[in-house]
Amino acid sequence: MNSAVEKSFIDAASNRHLDWLESEAIHIMREVAAECANPALLFSGGKDSVVMLRIAEKAFRPGKFPFPLVHIDTGHNFAEVITFRDKKVAELGERLIVGSVEDSIKRGTVRLRNPATDSRNAAQAVTLLETIAEHKFDACMGGARRDEEKARAKERIFSFRDEFGQWNPKAQRPELWDLYNTRVHPGENMRVFPISNWTELDVWQYIAREKLELPPIYFAHERQVIPRNGLLVPLTDLTPAREGETVETQVVRFRTVGDISCTCPVSSDAATVEAIIAETAITQITERGATRMDDQTSESSMEKRKKEGYF
């Protein structure tokens, strides 16, 4: 088989695989819209939520989305991502509800030792639960994937949360033959993950196929970083260098974006989607394992946060 024919065969197989994943995600999203009384779609401006927006467009356009977009804003987000979030929402003409961790701090429902500098990542769970209660959402869709982290790997596509917003991994509902039980009592809700079966590589291949725009920090750029515990901590007012640490200027990119206080870039010269796909295909470390300080506090840190209401 010559190289041109072989490449054509591989491309066709990749497209069939993406078509199947896309079809499953559209089915799940439509199931939420049909079965749930008041759903919402979480949109942070990150790559997975950008993919979720495209799935929503394919599921419901030319009509409006049958749910609002929701973002839980820690107040410690990368400026490039917030700018992109607002630009994308304006282009779509959809409604965005922003739940603010800062407002939760002012209400006293979130208490941090030093609100100006402490990580607000875990505190998002409180603000999310408050936003769900305020708007009476019975289902929230998000872009979490099973390949990201082991606690997410054992979570159902329709993940039941009790009246306290808590997740019990031993009390999840069966999902045989793609049949989903969406029934909840008042105060309970579902967290729904339409791209749960996707991998990081699938996401990037879909971004390439659909020509999706992303915040610039996903691509290689120069940034001041602090080597710390095997990670590259970005130099910011929230994450300054500690005594004895050195600040370096490196070419990096972000594999995932979140709260500045716990999100690190990786060393990379991949400046295009195609280069990132090639890089992702050979990496042996999950994106959260390579970039998230909050997942390195313990083996069960993600599961503990999810049990407390974290998305």
Side-chain angles (χ1 to χ4, degrees):
M1 183 182 296
N2 65 50
S3 58
V5 173
E6 184 177 8
K7 182 178 184 303
S8 176
F9 179 81
I10 292 172
D11 288 345
S14 177
N15 269 322
R16 285 195 299 271
H17 174 65
L18 292 177
D19 285 342
W20 185 90
L21 291 172
E22 179 188 73
S23 178
E24 179 190 49
I26 289 171
H27 165 68
I28 293 166
M29 204 170 279
R30 287 174 173 168
E31 189 79 1
V32 171
E35 296 293 331
C36 299
N38 189 27
L41 174 61
L42 269 69
F43 177 64
S44 65
K47 69 181 188 308
D48 299 304
S49 60
V50 168
V51 167
M52 290 281 286
L53 279 190
R54 176 50 58 91
I55 297 297
E57 287 184 275
K58 293 197 174 188
F60 303 110
R61 286 298 193 240
K64 299 282 284 185
F65 295 168
F67 39 70
L69 306 179
V70 173
H71 181 218
I72 305 304
D73 186 354
T74 67
H76 289 172
N77 295 291
F78 290 96
E80 302 96 322
V81 180
I82 295 300
T83 299
F84 175 83
R85 179 202 71 182
D86 294 341
K87 174 175 173 285
K88 193 66 182 175
V89 170
E91 289 174 355
L92 288 171
E94 297 292 342
R95 180 164 68 106
L96 174 67
I97 296 170
V98 178
S100 169
V101 173
E102 185 67 39
D103 289 344
S104 297
I105 292 172
K106 291 176 181 177
R107 283 192 295 267
T109 52
V110 166
R111 297 187 179 185
L112 301 173
R113 184 172 301 169
N114 188 337
T117 59
D118 284 358
S119 175
R120 298 181 177 185
N121 194 56
Q124 290 183 84
V126 174
T127 307
L128 174 61
L129 294 177
E130 290 174 344
T131 304
I132 289 172
E134 178 184 353
H135 296 278
K136 296 182 171 56
F137 293 131
D138 60 349
C140 290
M141 294 175 283
R145 310 186 318 272
R146 286 180 174 140
D147 77 319
E148 289 182 276
E149 203 275 340
K150 57 191 175 185
R152 286 180 168 172
K154 61 185 180 183
E155 193 161 19
R156 299 283 195 266
I157 290 175
F158 279 71
S159 180
F160 173 74
R161 303 299 174 98
D162 64 20
E163 64 271 26
F164 302 106
Q166 295 177 328
W167 174 59
N168 182 351
K170 296 182 179 179
Q172 295 297 294
R173 299 171 178 181
E175 295 180 342
L176 304 175
W177 306 295
D178 296 333
L179 297 175
Y180 306 108
N181 180 356
T182 63
R183 293 180 182 178
V184 294
H185 295 295
E188 300 171 342
N189 67 88
M190 286 285 182
R191 309 289 172 85
V192 186
F193 308 105
I195 63 170
S196 185
N197 290 326
W198 298 43
T199 66
E200 184 184 9
L201 183 60
D202 294 330
V203 168
W204 280 107
Q205 288 177 330
Y206 190 76
I207 288 167
R209 189 179 81 168
E210 299 294 314
K211 298 179 172 60
L212 301 179
E213 184 184 2
L214 294 175
I217 64 173
Y218 277 109
F219 303 95
H221 60 281
E222 282 195 353
R223 184 178 290 265
Q224 288 186 300
V225 295
I226 309 153
R228 182 185 299 164
N229 299 328
L231 299 175
L232 298 177
V233 178
L235 179 66
T236 70
D237 292 340
L238 297 171
T239 53
R242 298 170 182 169
E243 185 177 353
E245 291 183 328
T246 58
V247 176
E248 302 176 1
T249 299
Q250 294 193 23
V251 177
V252 300
R253 70 176 182 88
F254 286 85
R255 289 175 66 183
T256 180
V257 296
D259 192 81
I260 289 174
S261 63
C262 62
T263 306
C264 298
V266 295
S267 180
S268 171
D269 60 1
T272 65
V273 172
E274 291 71 25
I276 291 173
I277 289 172
E279 191 174 86
T280 303
I282 61 173
T283 188
Q284 296 181 335
I285 304 175
T286 65
E287 60 191 276
R288 292 191 70 93
T291 65
R292 297 301 286 265
M293 289 185 279
D294 54 332
D295 288 344
Q296 297 192 356
T297 55
S298 77
E299 285 289 313
S300 59
S301 55
M302 171 63 84
E303 182 161 330
K304 181 176 182 293
R305 291 199 306 276
K306 291 180 80 66
K307 286 179 178 179
E308 293 171 349
Y310 189 80
F311 198 85

